[in-house]
């Protein structure tokens, strides 16, 4: 404040100046990859980090702060106390319990629900207008849990869902066709992970629909190759985890990309976990899973109407049923 001599007669800072704040809950591998991508991409004026482990949290905060000379100016704060998140525009939850040896999926889920009970209400209290972005797994059910616990309207509760699966898909298709992954439009929708649904008929490269192009050119229809690509998408996470112990870089970029679309009001379409009731014939309960949705400053702006084959629509309905059954065991 005293380092520079103030310029006299300047107007006071405008109260309308936009200040963007992002909070990241959980500073494990995923939370830190997201935080560092957000920093390098200059998406926020302030980043607040929260974790239950105070030492690890302070260590991560200092390590990022020490890079200030090389980064766009961003205030980085951290605390085990949720008051540090006050006034956030976006809260990204990556905190999660690790699966114990022999532990069932349901038990792990129940532990993560308990964890969310201590995370979501304080976030909603300190930032009642924030958008919640859920990354912790199982991401679709935990997005439902966060929606219930926050009592936010559904446009402000988003799961990172199959955004990452879809980027793996686009990379593999691009690699196969030797084109740039950014020119590949391809969506994986539904449940994040094993039962995700690849929307083959809507894949296009530079505006050319791939399947009908291959058929018209009478290039032998590479059904098996395509199915193997989807298998590789599903196995991708397992392979990375078995090799390096966790996944981090791709989820970091994927969530930073969602943050950009939301905070900069990009109105881009991303496959993310949304309240799916009422879309694509999904009824019978409140269920979150990924559909191609338009993202902007108020969160989810809408869901696009992609043509689904009967088989794809049926697979989504089956996933909805499984998720609703699991949710009913949570007692929320
Ligand atoms: P990690 O174990 O490295 O980090 C989890 C962090 O959460 C730890 O720092 C831990 O201290 C913190 N934590 C635990 N309980 C907490 C609480 N009550 N409050 C605050 N912090 C708490 O795990 P990770 O590799 O970073 O993965 C995090 C989550 O992200 C996992 O659930 C993982 O499955 C999920 N994930 C999702 C995707 C996706 O595409 N949706 C991709 C990768 C990982």
């Amino acid at each position: 404040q005293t380092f520079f001599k103030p310029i006299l007669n300047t107007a006071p800072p405008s109260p309308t100046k936009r200040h963007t704040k992002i909070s990241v809950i959980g500073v494990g591998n995923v939370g830190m990859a997201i935080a560092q991508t957000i920093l390098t991409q200059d998406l926020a004026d302030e980043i607040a980090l929260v974790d239950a482990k105070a030492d690890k949290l302070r260590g991560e905060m200092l390590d990022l702060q020490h890079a200030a000379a090389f980064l766009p100016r961003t205030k980085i704060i951290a605390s085990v106390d949720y008051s540090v998140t006050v006034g956030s525009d976006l809260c990204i939850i990556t905190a999660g319990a690790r699966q114990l040896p022999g532990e069932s999926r349901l038990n792990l889920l129940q532990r993560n629900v308990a964890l969310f009970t201590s995370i979501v209400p304080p976030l909603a209290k300190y930032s009642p207008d924030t958008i919640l972005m859920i990354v912790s797994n199982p991401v679709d059910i935990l997005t439902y849990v966060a929606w219930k616990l926050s009592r936010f309207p559904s446009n402000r509760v988003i799961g990172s869902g199959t955004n990452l699966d879809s980027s793996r898909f686009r990379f593999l298709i691009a690699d196969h066709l030797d084109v740039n992954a950014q020119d590949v439009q391809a969506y994986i929708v539904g449940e994040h992970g094993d039962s995700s649904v690849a929307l083959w008929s809507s894949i296009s490269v530079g505006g050319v629909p791939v399947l009908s192009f291959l058929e018209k050119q009478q290039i032998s229809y590479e059904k098996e190759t395509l199915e193997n690509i989807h298998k590789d998408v599903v196995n991708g996470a397992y392979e990375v985890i078995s090799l390096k112990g966790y996944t981090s870089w791709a989820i970091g970029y994927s969530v930073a990309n969602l943050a950009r679309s939301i905070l900069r009001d990009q109105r881009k379409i991303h496959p993310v976990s949304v309240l799916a009731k009422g879309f694509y014939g999904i009824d019978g309960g409140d269920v979150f899973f990924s559909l191609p949705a338009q993202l902007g400053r108020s969160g989810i702006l809408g869901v696009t109407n992609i043509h689904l084959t009967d088989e794809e629509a049926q697979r989504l309905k089956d996933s909805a049923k499984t998720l609703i059954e699991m949710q009913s065991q949570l007692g929320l």
Side-chain angles (χ1 to χ4, degrees):
Q1 299 95 11
T2 52
F3 186 72
F4 288 108
K5 265 193 190 163
I7 298 173
L8 296 176
N9 303 325
T10 51
S14 156
T16 55
K17 188 183 171 295
R18 239 178 92 191
H19 176 91
T20 308
K21 177 166 175 175
I22 302 179
S23 290
V24 178
I25 317 306
V27 297
N29 303 300
V30 171
M32 287 314 292
I34 293 171
Q36 91 95 21
T37 313
I38 284 170
L39 272 178
T40 54
Q41 297 192 358
D42 199 7
L43 294 178
D45 300 294
E46 187 172 348
I47 294 186
L49 305 173
V50 179
D51 198 285
K53 291 184 197 151
D55 287 352
K56 155 101 171 142
L57 181 62
R58 184 164 163 75
E60 291 292 8
M61 178 193 75
L62 291 173
D63 203 4
L64 283 183
Q65 286 175 339
H66 295 167
F70 315 107
L71 287 170
R73 185 165 175 270
T74 306
K75 185 174 176 189
I76 303 166
I77 50 178
S79 174
V80 292
D81 190 312
Y82 280 84
S83 58
V84 79
T85 65
V86 67
S88 297
D89 299 283
L90 178 66
C91 294
I92 302 170
I93 307 182
T94 76
R98 289 203 165 178
Q99 196 156 9
L100 303 169
E103 185 180 32
S104 73
R105 254 187 93 192
L106 184 61
N107 205 58
L108 174 69
L109 171 61
Q110 277 161 340
R111 286 201 296 134
N112 273 334
V113 171
L115 209 129
F116 266 49
T117 322
S118 68
I119 295 174
V120 176
L123 287 178
K125 181 181 120 190
Y126 285 112
S127 305
D129 299 323
T130 194
I131 291 169
L132 290 175
M133 168 72 59
I134 315 306
V135 183
S136 317
N137 274 321
V139 66
D140 299 297
I141 297 191
L142 289 178
T143 306
Y144 164 82
V145 170
W147 174 60
K148 280 278 179 194
L149 293 172
S150 65
R151 300 168 186 261
F152 281 1
S154 59
N155 62 302
R156 288 201 280 125
V157 186
I158 307 168
S160 71
T162 55
N163 197 49
L164 173 60
D165 316 49
S166 298
S167 75
R168 289 188 177 122
F169 195 39
R170 290 168 67 191
F171 158 70
L172 291 167
I173 293 167
D175 202 39
H176 181 63
L177 298 176
D178 197 16
V179 296
N180 187 319
Q182 293 197 22
D183 284 335
V184 178
Q185 286 217 299
Y187 294 110
I188 290 200
V189 296
E191 230 185 308
H192 167 62
D194 301 355
S195 61
S196 63
V197 179
L199 299 183
W200 294 111
S201 51
S202 59
I203 299 175
S204 67
V205 175
V208 180
V210 170
L211 281 197
S212 53
F213 173 80
L214 291 176
E215 277 161 17
K216 267 191 214 127
Q217 300 294 308
Q218 304 198 319
I219 297 172
S220 60
Y221 181 62
E222 303 173 277
K223 199 160 192 285
E224 204 175 312
T225 315
L226 298 179
E227 272 162 13
N228 282 337
I229 288 180
H230 185 219
K231 272 190 204 137
D232 287 347
V233 170
V234 171
N235 293 331
Y238 294 111
E239 191 180 2
V240 176
I241 290 170
S242 77
L243 292 167
K244 66 173 245 187
Y246 55 86
T247 65
S248 58
W249 304 125
I251 184 68
Y253 278 100
S254 149
V255 173
N257 193 240
L258 298 176
R260 174 189 296 275
S261 287
I262 293 168
L263 297 172
R264 299 253 171 95
D265 198 27
Q266 293 294 295
R267 291 160 186 265
K268 275 182 71 178
I269 295 162
H270 298 267
V272 284
S273 202
V274 297
L275 182 60
K277 193 160 99 176
F279 298 110
Y280 297 97
I282 303 296
D283 48 20
D286 293 326
V287 64
F288 280 72
F289 58 52
S290 291
L291 294 173
Q294 194 188 31
L295 296 185
R297 190 60 191 81
S298 53
I300 306 276
L301 306 179
V303 171
T304 54
N305 225 340
I306 286 193
H307 170 76
L308 297 185
T309 63
D310 290 347
E311 191 194 336
E312 288 162 354
Q314 189 54 49
R315 289 184 60 195
L316 283 186
K317 282 186 184 163
D318 293 346
S319 285
K321 207 164 154 248
T322 317
L323 288 166
I324 290 169
E325 267 167 31
M326 283 204 96
Q327 284 169 193
S328 70
Q329 300 176 57
L330 299 177
L332 281 173

